[in-house]
Amino acid sequence: MKNCFDFDYNNSILSLSNSLLKYYGIRPFHPTLKILDAKLLAQDHKNIVFMILDGMSVDNIKHHLPRDSFISSHIISPIYSVFPPTTTAATTSFHTGLSPLESGWIGWTSYYKEYNRVIENFLNTDYYTGEALTTPKPGDSILAYKTIYSRITEQNPNVEYHQVFPPFTPNGAKTFDEMCTRIAQISKQNQNKKIISAYWPEPDHSMHHFGVLSDEAHKMVQDIEANLQKMYAQVEDAFIIISADHGLIDIEQIWLNDYPELCAMLERPLSLEARFVSFCIKDDKKEMFVQKFNQFLGNDFKLYSKEEFLSSGLLGAGTPHAKIDDFIGDFVAIALGNKTLHYTTGDSEGISLVAEHAGISESEMIVPLIIAEKD
């Protein structure tokens, strides 16, 4: 399996978002995506549609769609995700133009010393007990951010912003068909300039539960393809940008609980992701932890100290978020192959998924830049 330790942030979803900022006259935070800059500057469409399809990587498109499909035929270039290639980090980079280092969104779960809990960032639940928390949601407090869309409309008051998201948002679209129909309708509402942001949680959800090559995933990708074709036929005067936050691979699970020597060295439970794992280790056990981890799991994971990881640049450039040190802990491990690393405190049932992401493989890291123009 080929890995992407030397991937290029200047040719990534981060640079895509910064191209949108540049297009609307806002100084970008990071280098822009040159191929997108050229195409944006060459057009003057009324509507800019920016859609994220969760999990729709280049590999997954190749698995499920022919070359002459709408999606495949409109891929302008493969680009990289951010690291880690996971929804929390990648969609935040899409929506902010910030690197994961800057935003602090680097995993599904993070350890918050303020609450002494490992919290699921999107759901505001204790990851190990499943308890719904009454403390402020991380996304509304500690990890709050300003979106590129608010920056765009502040600087361009003549531009309307429209969000079309799934049911977890107010007035969210219940199906992908409904999402595409609403986008087409918004494009025709008036003659004002608009930016329309859309996100759909498939095929990620289907692949997680049934596998990358499953019939369920195939059906979902086919449904997305059919509805995008229909949307393209109906939309008016639009420049459509479609990409993905990450890809997935089918995985094999490893449980740290099967290695009691390692568990005995933990200061607190694991956090971040199952393919990008944070460890906090007792002070007098750190050297032994490195030795034993590499002995037991070194073939499947690359272990970094905090200092080694931060100097690697994998989280991108910029000023680190104030919580980065806490979130990374003492060590992080990145999956090299198809393994995931889980841990249970006995307070909740173990997780069982067929496919995962947040590792460094090409299948997880390389996503499409899809562009379609409609007069």
Side-chain angles (χ1 to χ4, degrees):
M1 180 180 295
K2 190 171 181 180
N3 290 310
C4 297
F5 282 101
D6 297 319
F7 76 97
D8 183 7
Y9 264 104
N10 296 342
N11 184 37
S12 73
I13 63 174
L14 178 63
S15 45
L16 187 164
S17 291
N18 279 275
S19 284
L20 286 173
L21 289 172
K22 179 181 178 180
Y23 173 73
Y24 285 102
I26 300 165
R27 183 178 179 180
F29 300 110
H30 296 281
T32 58
L33 192 57
K34 303 307 180 187
I35 190 172
L36 178 57
D37 292 341
K39 290 187 174 294
L40 278 168
L41 291 173
Q43 61 82 47
D44 186 29
H45 288 290
K46 180 176 69 174
N47 300 292
I48 302 292
V49 179
F50 177 33
M51 177 181 287
I52 303 166
L53 299 174
D54 201 320
M56 188 72 89
S57 65
V58 169
D59 267 6
N60 290 339
I61 292 168
K62 289 177 180 178
H63 287 322
H64 295 287
L65 291 173
R67 291 184 179 180
D68 62 353
S69 66
F70 175 84
I71 290 176
S72 299
S73 63
H74 284 88
I75 296 177
I76 302 302
S77 176
I79 59 177
Y80 292 102
S81 181
V82 295
F83 188 85
T86 190
T87 303
T88 47
T91 58
T92 303
S93 286
F94 270 133
H95 295 320
T96 64
L98 301 177
S99 69
L101 182 75
E102 295 169 311
S103 73
W105 287 84
I106 62 170
W108 180 256
T109 70
S110 298
Y111 173 75
Y112 290 87
K113 65 182 180 183
E114 297 88 344
Y115 313 123
N116 193 30
R117 291 178 182 268
V118 175
I119 297 174
E120 294 177 272
N121 287 307
F122 278 156
L123 304 179
N124 201 35
T125 56
D126 185 304
Y127 178 68
Y128 285 98
T129 67
E131 177 188 354
L133 303 178
T134 58
T135 49
K137 293 182 179 179
D140 296 336
S141 55
I142 295 171
L143 294 183
Y145 55 74
K146 188 172 185 176
T147 69
I148 62 170
Y149 316 112
S150 61
R151 296 181 191 277
I152 288 167
T153 54
E154 284 174 7
Q155 186 142 331
N156 300 268
N158 62 318
V159 175
E160 296 179 5
Y161 171 58
H162 296 265
Q163 177 180 283
V164 189
F165 271 36
F168 60 72
T169 59
N171 196 34
K174 296 180 179 63
T175 65
F176 190 64
D177 183 4
E178 180 185 343
M179 173 174 284
C180 290
T181 299
R182 286 169 60 175
I183 291 170
Q185 290 171 342
I186 292 168
S187 75
K188 302 173 185 177
Q189 281 179 358
N190 53 48
Q191 294 307 307
N192 296 338
K193 296 276 189 178
K194 304 179 191 70
I195 181 166
I196 306 168
S197 167
Y199 163 82
W200 193 245
E202 293 284 6
D204 176 82
H205 183 267
S206 296
M207 291 182 177
H208 270 308
H209 292 280
F210 301 105
V212 169
L213 301 178
S214 65
D215 291 342
E216 292 85 355
H218 185 73
K219 181 179 178 181
M220 186 58 64
V221 174
Q222 295 289 320
D223 178 74
I224 291 170
E225 163 73 13
N227 280 292
L228 285 177
Q229 286 188 38
K230 185 169 72 170
M231 183 189 79
Y232 183 70
Q234 295 173 346
V235 77
E236 178 179 285
D237 194 3
F239 187 90
I240 303 167
I241 305 166
I242 303 172
S243 191
D245 49 356
H246 57 75
L248 298 90
I249 62 170
D250 291 336
I251 55 90
E252 298 177 39
Q253 292 183 330
I254 296 174
W255 286 89
L256 194 72
N257 302 76
D258 293 335
Y259 300 89
E261 284 186 80
L262 293 176
C263 291
M265 302 181 200
L266 296 178
E267 187 70 37
R268 62 177 185 247
L270 311 186
S271 58
L272 295 182
E273 298 273 348
R275 290 177 55 76
F276 170 52
V277 190
S278 168
F279 303 88
C280 187
I281 303 300
K282 296 173 182 177
D283 286 342
D284 62 343
K285 300 296 183 182
K286 291 178 181 177
E287 289 187 13
M288 180 63 71
F289 176 77
V290 172
Q291 176 188 334
K292 290 296 183 180
F293 183 92
N294 287 327
Q295 176 186 337
F296 298 141
L297 300 171
N299 290 333
D300 297 309
F301 293 86
K302 181 174 177 61
L303 186 68
Y304 293 82
S305 68
K306 176 189 293 186
E307 294 74 20
E308 290 169 338
F309 179 69
L310 288 176
S311 67
S312 74
L314 284 171
L315 293 180
T319 302
H321 190 279
K323 297 298 293 181
I324 286 292
D325 274 0
D326 291 346
F327 291 171
I328 291 175
D330 298 316
F331 300 93
V332 294
I334 299 174
L336 299 173
N338 72 332
K339 301 296 196 301
T340 58
L341 185 59
H342 293 279
Y343 176 73
T344 178
T345 60
D347 294 317
S348 62
E349 296 181 5
I351 297 170
S352 181
L353 296 173
V354 180
E356 272 279 21
H357 49 80
I360 199 75
S361 72
E362 284 189 344
S363 295
E364 296 158 281
M365 286 290 299
I366 298 181
V367 298
L369 172 63
I370 298 166
I371 294 176
E373 296 186 62
K374 181 72 180 294
D375 295 327

